[in-house]
Amino acid sequence: MFRPTALVSLTALASAVYAQQVGTQKAEVHPTLSWQTCTSSGCTTTAGSVALDANWRWLHTTTGYTNCYTGNAFDTSLCPDGVTCANNCALDGADYSGTYGITTSGSALTLKFKTGTNIGSRVYLMANDSKYQMFKLKNKEFTFDVELSSLGCGLNGALYFSEMLEDGGLSKYPTNRAGAKYGTGYCDAQCPHDIKFISGEANVDGWTGTSTNTGKGKYGSCCDEMDVWEANSISSAYTPHPCTSTGPFRCEGTGCDVCDQPGCDFNSYRMGDKTYYGPGSTFKIDTTKKITVVTQFKTADGTDTGTLSEIRRLYVQNGVVFQNSKVNIPGMSSNYDSITEQFCTDQKAAFSDTNIFAAKGGMKGMGDAMSNGMVLVMSVWDDYTANMLWLDSNYPTDRPASQPGTARGTCATTSGVPADVESQQANASVTFSNIKFGTIGSTYSGSTASSSTTSRASSSSSSSSSRTTTTTANTTSQTQWGQCGGVRNFLISP
C-alpha cells in the first residue's frame, strides 16, 4: 500500500512529530473503544481504548515549549544527533476530538479526514494504558463493521495489522520513555524513512526535506504487515506483506529490501468482477450502506500453530452473508476467491509482476508474524505518493488499462490529487465498529446468499451493545508503494 506524508497545522505553541520523552503540558487520555472476543459459546466484551500515533503529536523541549521540529527540519541545536534529540525532546498528550477529529462511542470509532487544519490520523487499539493489544491471527477470524460512504476517489479508510512491539519499544530502547501510551514504535512493510524516531533515536542522520512539510532520514522502519482493509466507496483490497526480518527492524540502504512492498492483494475489481463492490444497488456490496467485513486466517491443519494456508474474505449486509467475488482473469482459475500461495503465484504471472511475495516468505512468512503477535491499526489518509490510484484507478499509469492487473477501480487517473481531495472531501470520515475476534465462524451471522440473488444489500448486521458482556454466537517502472495511514509532518501556526 502507499503511505504518504501528511500535513497539519496546530494552534498556539504546538508542532507535532515523533518523540521519545513524555511532556507534561497535556495529560494523555485514551478514548475508550470496546471490542469482543468470540467462541462457539458466545462473545465477551473487552473494555479497550485507542492511542494516537506519535507522529501526530506535539514535540517540544523537555524544559519548555520550543519546537524540536518545524516544517521539514529538526532543530539542529536540540537534535544534533539521534540520541541527543531523544533526550532533549518530549511528546505530549493529544486533544483527540478537538484537534484530530477522532471520537469513540461504545464499540464505534470515527476518524474524520479533516478537522481544522489537521489531515488524517492513525490510531492503535490498546490493551491497557501502556500496551498495545496483541493479536495472533492464525486459525482465527476478525470481523468489523465499516461505514465509508463519504470516502471518494483518493481517500483510504484502512484497518490493518503491523508486527510492532507490544509496549512500542519502551522496554527495549532506553531512550524511548513514551512507549505505546503515546503511539511510538510504528513500522510496516514499506520500511518508511519519514518516521522521525526509530528504535528510540531520532532519524536525523541524513534527514533531508522532500517538500515544504516532509522529509526522509537515513533509516527506515520495517515489519510484516497484514492489510485487512484498504478501501473507499469505490474500491477495496486486502493484502498480506511478509518480510524476511522479524518484528520492527531499523534498516538502511540496501538493507531495507526485506519486505514485500507490493504484497499479494485481492481487489475484486482488479481481479475481474466490476460489479461486486461499489456505491449503489447495482453492486452486490453496496458501499452507501454499512458493511460487515469478515476475514478468516485459515491454517493447513486447522490449528493455531499450523502453517497459514488461506486468507478468506466474507461480507454481511442486510443479514445476508456474501462469499468473496470470483476471479475473472485470463490465465487464472475462475475458482479463486481467496488468497493462497498458488493464487499469489498465478496472479503475479497473469499480471506480469515479479513474485516478491514468495521471495519474502509468502504465506508461511506472513503466518510466522501472526504467531508472534500483531498490533491493530486504523487510519484515514490521502496519498501524496500516487494519489491512491493503486487502489481505485488504473495503475501503473504507463500500462494500458486493458492489461490484466492495471484497472483497480473506476476513478479517473487524474483523481486523488491531495490538494483536490483535501478541499473537496473535507467532511469525509470513516467509522469502524463492532470489532470481533475469535474462532472461525463465531464472529458473524446471517443467511447465505444464493448465486441467483438479485436484491442488493442495504445495511449491515450488527453486534450486540458494547455494554453487554455476552452474546449468542452464530455458527513496475513507477514508484508504487508507500506507507499506510500516512506518516505525517506538521507545521506550527504563525
Side-chain angles (χ1 to χ4, degrees), residues 116-178:
T117 52
N118 178 69
I119 304 297
S121 60
R122 182 167 63 216
V123 299
Y124 308 108
L125 185 64
M126 303 296 290
N128 54 47
D129 201 41
S130 60
K131 289 184 177 181
Y132 299 129
Q133 180 67 50
M134 305 301 290
F135 289 86
K136 295 187 176 182
L137 299 171
K138 286 199 306 183
N139 198 37
K140 294 294 190 292
E141 179 175 277
F142 186 89
T143 296
F144 63 95
D145 290 353
V146 62
E147 202 291 307
L148 44 53
S149 60
S150 64
L151 300 185
C153 296
L155 282 176
N156 190 337
L159 182 150
Y160 58 105
F161 292 92
S162 286
E163 195 185 2
M164 297 163 61
L165 295 176
E166 184 177 29
D167 64 0
L170 182 68
S171 59
K172 186 174 183 178
Y173 304 109
T175 49
N176 180 354
R177 299 176 187 173

Side-chain angles (χ1 to χ4, degrees), residues 390-476:
W390 57 271
L391 176 64
D392 58 23
S393 185
N394 298 328
Y395 199 84
T397 56
D398 59 358
R399 287 185 179 183
S402 59
Q403 180 174 335
T406 302
R408 300 147 188 264
T410 58
C411 296
T413 56
T414 55
S415 68
V417 177
D420 296 337
V421 173
E422 290 163 18
S423 64
Q424 297 168 10
Q425 299 189 60
N427 294 323
S429 67
V430 61
T431 298
F432 299 109
S433 62
N434 297 321
I435 293 171
K436 295 183 178 183
F437 175 70
T439 55
I440 290 176
S442 68
T443 68
Y444 72 98
S445 63
S447 60
T448 302
S450 67
S451 59
S452 60
T453 298
T454 56
S455 63
R456 299 304 188 224
S458 61
S459 64
S460 78
S461 64
S462 60
S463 66
S464 64
S465 166
S466 61
R467 295 184 183 274
T468 302
T469 58
T470 303
T471 59
T472 301
N474 291 274
T475 35
T476 87

Side-chain angles (χ1 to χ4, degrees), residues 17-280:
V17 71
Y18 277 91
Q20 299 297 293
Q21 305 300 308
V22 176
T24 59
Q25 305 306 319
K26 182 173 179 59
E28 173 66 6
V29 180
H30 296 147
T32 59
L33 182 70
S34 63
W35 61 284
Q36 294 185 313
T37 54
C38 301
T39 68
S40 59
S41 299
C43 295
T44 301
T45 296
T46 297
S49 62
V50 294
L52 178 69
D53 183 286
N55 198 55
W56 270 259
R57 298 170 182 270
W58 175 25
L59 176 68
H60 57 83
T61 60
T62 57
T63 57
Y65 302 102
T66 302
N67 298 319
C68 291
Y69 183 98
T70 303
N72 62 9
F74 286 94
D75 183 329
T76 56
S77 67
L78 296 168
C79 297
D81 59 74
V83 174
T84 302
C85 188
N87 287 329
N88 286 341
C89 300
L91 186 70
D92 237 305
D95 179 356
Y96 282 81
S97 61
T99 300
Y100 304 103
I102 300 169
T103 57
T104 61
S105 177
S107 67
L109 166 71
T110 297
L111 304 176
K112 293 183 179 179
F113 173 57
K114 189 173 182 180
T115 301
T117 52
N118 178 69
I119 304 297
S121 60
R122 182 167 63 216
V123 299
Y124 308 108
L125 185 64
M126 303 296 290
N128 54 47
D129 201 41
S130 60
K131 289 184 177 181
Y132 299 129
Q133 180 67 50
M134 305 301 290
F135 289 86
K136 295 187 176 182
L137 299 171
K138 286 199 306 183
N139 198 37
K140 294 294 190 292
E141 179 175 277
F142 186 89
T143 296
F144 63 95
D145 290 353
V146 62
E147 202 291 307
L148 44 53
S149 60
S150 64
L151 300 185
C153 296
L155 282 176
N156 190 337
L159 182 150
Y160 58 105
F161 292 92
S162 286
E163 195 185 2
M164 297 163 61
L165 295 176
E166 184 177 29
D167 64 0
L170 182 68
S171 59
K172 186 174 183 178
Y173 304 109
T175 49
N176 180 354
R177 299 176 187 173
K181 180 176 181 177
Y182 292 86
T184 68
Y186 183 74
C187 58
D188 65 41
Q190 311 309 316
C191 300
H193 284 250
D194 45 5
I195 294 180
K196 311 304 183 298
F197 280 79
I198 302 174
S199 301
E201 298 179 9
N203 197 12
V204 298
D205 191 4
W207 187 270
T208 56
T210 55
S211 75
T212 302
N213 305 303
T214 64
K216 290 186 178 181
K218 176 180 179 179
Y219 300 108
S221 185
C222 312
C223 68
D224 291 76
E225 169 191 349
M226 178 63 228
D227 294 331
V228 174
W229 184 253
E230 293 188 276
N232 53 35
S233 62
I234 306 301
S235 296
S236 69
Y238 70 104
T239 312
H241 298 265
C243 302
T244 55
S245 57
T246 300
F249 170 69
R250 189 177 77 166
C251 71
E252 61 177 296
T254 58
C256 294
D257 185 24
V258 295
C259 297
D260 173 24
Q261 294 185 4
C264 175
D265 69 300
F266 200 111
N267 172 331
S268 292
Y269 192 98
R270 191 183 189 212
M271 298 314 301
D273 190 336
K274 295 175 169 46
T275 63
Y276 187 79
Y277 177 98

